[in-house]
């Protein structure tokens, strides 16, 4: 028997869409969630409905159906803990924010326990070798990620106005957790960044001459400042080479460069550098934090630069420092004369 559901009234406006997935999109946009969150939630709601054969509406399903879907993801699909948590969050959002149901069993469903893993960190020599082997189109972005600790999307979403050459600072707008922060602008990047802005200005000028619409503006700024999106200060530091259609408005705009292009460039540079560890663009951020700690900067400073809400998140890099010769010296290395290892016995 299903638990009694209690509908919440007055918290959110009634939905206009009639189809379920469109209702999810409408509610996500009303709550100002990101496009990526919208895509993820729609994906998991669709997968949940299809898993149960599309025969029943999610509002008619209960804890057993949700747990069956989550168990299938973990046992059959072997998804990562983060993916499992994202699917659960999507279903909770569906029930509470879209269907307007207050179901007590939602809080009782077991949340997957995250595994604490040490981040992959490159050495100074490996970073130097890697950055030297990027193709010219992506070299600046790679150096920016390592030099500032920015996440890849934080770097790609930079606007011209966010780069302050006089104060040697970069302002990160609405990073993870919708928080702003300020990071340093490495002096070594100033000439290359100025050249990048010169190339971006050419694209901006072409768009203005062609009468194309301005770039995307967050929240209601486009209505409040209708001309700002076409201004140079709001243009992308790393604009895309071609225009694309905004999936929410249907308007053709120039978006920022796509992250997948850089991810492919990173893999190519990694192969050229002969680094066989499972590094990703995010590894540059991990290496930035670890190398700052190695240089003697305090952990609170590193926390602020990374934009971590809790210092415990930043503490993981102190564990990386203890690996290898970072902290403890092996007693074997203290011996004056180290006897040779015995030869293996013949088979």
């Amino acid at each position: 028997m299903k638990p009694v559901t209690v509908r919440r009234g007055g918290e959110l406006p009634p939905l206009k869409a009639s189809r379920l997935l469109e209702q999810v999109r409408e509610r996500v946009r009303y709550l100002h969630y990101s496009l990526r969150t919208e895509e993820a939630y729609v994906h998991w709601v669709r997968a949940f409905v299809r898993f149960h054969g599309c025969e029943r509406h999610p509002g008619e399903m209960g804890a057993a159906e949700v747990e069956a879907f989550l168990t299938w993801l973990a046992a059959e699909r072997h998804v990562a803990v983060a993916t499992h948590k994202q699917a659960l969050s999507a279903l909770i959002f569906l029930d509470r924010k879209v269907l307007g149901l207050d179901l007590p069993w939602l809080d009782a469903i077991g949340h997957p326990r995250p595994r604490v893993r040490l981040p992959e960190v490159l050495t100074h020599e490996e970073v130097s070798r890697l950055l030297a082997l990027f193709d010219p189109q992506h070299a600046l972005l790679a150096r920016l990620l390592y030099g500032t600790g920015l996440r890849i999307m934080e770097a790609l979403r930079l606007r011209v106005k966010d780069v302050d050459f006089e104060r040697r600072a970069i302002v990160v707008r609405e990073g993870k957790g919708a928080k702003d922060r300020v990071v340093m602008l490495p002096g070594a990047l100033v000439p290359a960044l100025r050249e990048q802005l010169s190339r971006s200005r050419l694209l901006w000028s072409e768009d203005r001459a062609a009468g194309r619409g301005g770039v995307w503006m967050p929240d209601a700024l486009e209505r409040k400042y209708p001309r700002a999106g076409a201004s140079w200060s709001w243009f992308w530091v790393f604009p895309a080479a071609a225009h694309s259609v905004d999936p929410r408005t249907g308007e053709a705009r120039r978006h920022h460069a796509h992250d997948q292009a850089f991810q492919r460039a990173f893999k190519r540079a990694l192969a050229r550098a002969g680094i066989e560890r499972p590094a990703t663009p995010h590894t540059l951020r991990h290496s930035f934090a670890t190398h700052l700690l190695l240089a003697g900067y305090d952990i609170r400073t590193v926390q602020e630069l990374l934009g971590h809400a809790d210092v415990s998140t930043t503490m993981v890099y102190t564990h990386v420092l203890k690996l290898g010769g970072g902290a403890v010296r092996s007693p074997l290395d203290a011996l004056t004369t180290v006897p040779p290892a015995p030869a293996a016995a013949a088979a």
Side-chain angles (χ1 to χ4, degrees):
M1 180 177 179
K2 286 187 178 180
V4 177
T5 60
V6 179
R7 294 194 173 273
R8 297 179 173 182
E11 292 188 4
L12 295 170
L15 293 163
K16 298 178 181 179
S18 57
R19 299 176 66 87
L20 180 66
L21 296 183
E22 290 304 316
Q23 289 178 338
V24 175
R25 291 190 177 95
E26 181 181 339
R27 189 62 85 209
V28 165
R29 295 174 189 182
Y30 175 82
L31 295 171
H32 299 282
Y33 289 6
S34 70
L35 178 60
R36 292 201 167 194
T37 300
E38 175 184 327
E39 293 172 344
Y41 281 11
V42 168
H43 167 79
W44 288 118
V45 171
R46 181 188 289 116
F48 175 66
V49 172
R50 288 179 175 176
F51 175 77
H52 290 290
C54 303
E55 298 176 355
R56 299 167 61 195
H57 191 277
E60 301 173 353
M61 300 185 196
E65 288 82 0
V66 172
E67 289 180 343
F69 176 67
L70 296 175
T71 299
W72 172 73
L73 288 178
E76 301 294 332
R77 298 297 301 273
H78 304 290
V79 300
V81 171
T83 304
H84 195 198
K85 290 174 65 177
Q86 185 186 70
L88 177 57
S89 296
L91 297 182
I92 292 175
F93 179 88
L94 171 67
D95 281 331
R96 291 183 172 168
K97 303 298 184 181
V98 179
L99 302 179
L101 303 177
D102 187 5
L103 303 172
W105 51 261
L106 275 176
D107 295 323
I109 288 182
H111 289 249
R113 181 177 300 176
R115 300 175 182 175
V116 179
R117 297 183 182 275
L118 294 178
E120 193 70 44
V121 174
L122 302 178
T123 66
H124 286 89
E125 188 276 332
E126 287 174 328
V127 171
S128 180
R129 194 165 75 246
L130 177 67
L131 296 181
L133 294 173
F134 270 89
D135 55 78
Q137 182 181 357
H138 299 99
L140 173 59
L141 182 56
R143 294 168 67 196
L144 183 66
L145 295 183
Y146 174 68
T148 62
L150 294 181
R151 301 175 179 90
I152 182 172
M153 293 308 299
E154 291 173 342
L156 291 175
R157 290 171 180 161
L158 286 176
R159 314 269 185 161
V160 173
K161 65 182 183 61
D162 298 329
V163 181
D164 190 335
F165 288 103
E166 290 186 6
R167 294 180 176 83
R168 292 285 181 88
I170 294 176
V171 181
V172 182
R173 305 288 184 182
E174 294 197 12
K176 190 173 183 179
K179 295 177 296 184
D180 294 355
R181 71 181 189 278
V182 180
V183 299
M184 78 288 280
L185 169 56
L189 293 186
V190 169
L193 261 178
R194 289 191 182 277
E195 292 179 9
Q196 174 62 31
L197 290 179
S198 297
R199 290 190 292 268
S200 298
R201 193 175 182 93
L202 290 176
L203 292 178
W204 173 78
S205 299
E206 291 176 4
D207 289 349
R208 299 290 68 75
R212 292 187 176 273
V215 297
W216 173 83
M217 298 285 286
D219 300 326
L221 287 179
E222 194 160 15
R223 292 196 303 272
K224 189 174 182 180
Y225 307 107
R227 297 183 181 179
S231 67
W232 165 239
S233 62
W234 279 91
F235 200 66
W236 308 111
V237 174
F238 297 100
H243 290 77
S244 57
V245 176
D246 189 324
R248 290 184 168 177
T249 65
E251 185 177 353
R253 301 178 184 270
R254 189 179 295 278
H255 200 44
H256 57 67
H258 205 286
D259 61 311
Q260 291 186 357
F262 180 77
Q263 289 170 355
R264 290 191 292 267
F266 184 91
K267 289 183 179 180
R268 292 194 297 268
L270 202 67
R272 293 168 186 161
I275 300 174
E276 299 180 353
R277 287 187 281 153
T280 68
H282 207 68
T283 304
L284 295 175
R285 174 176 163 88
H286 295 321
S287 302
F288 163 85
T290 305
H291 294 170
L292 281 182
L293 292 174
L294 281 171
Y297 288 95
D298 66 275
I299 196 165
R300 291 289 183 180
T301 299
V302 178
Q303 176 194 358
E304 291 180 5
L305 291 172
L306 294 177
H308 288 162
D310 195 320
V311 72
S312 62
T313 307
T314 319
M315 287 290 291
V316 69
Y317 298 110
T318 64
H319 297 291
V320 177
L321 295 178
K322 296 176 183 178
L323 296 178
V328 179
R329 187 185 182 198
S330 170
L332 181 65
D333 293 332
L335 298 179
T336 305
T337 305
V338 181

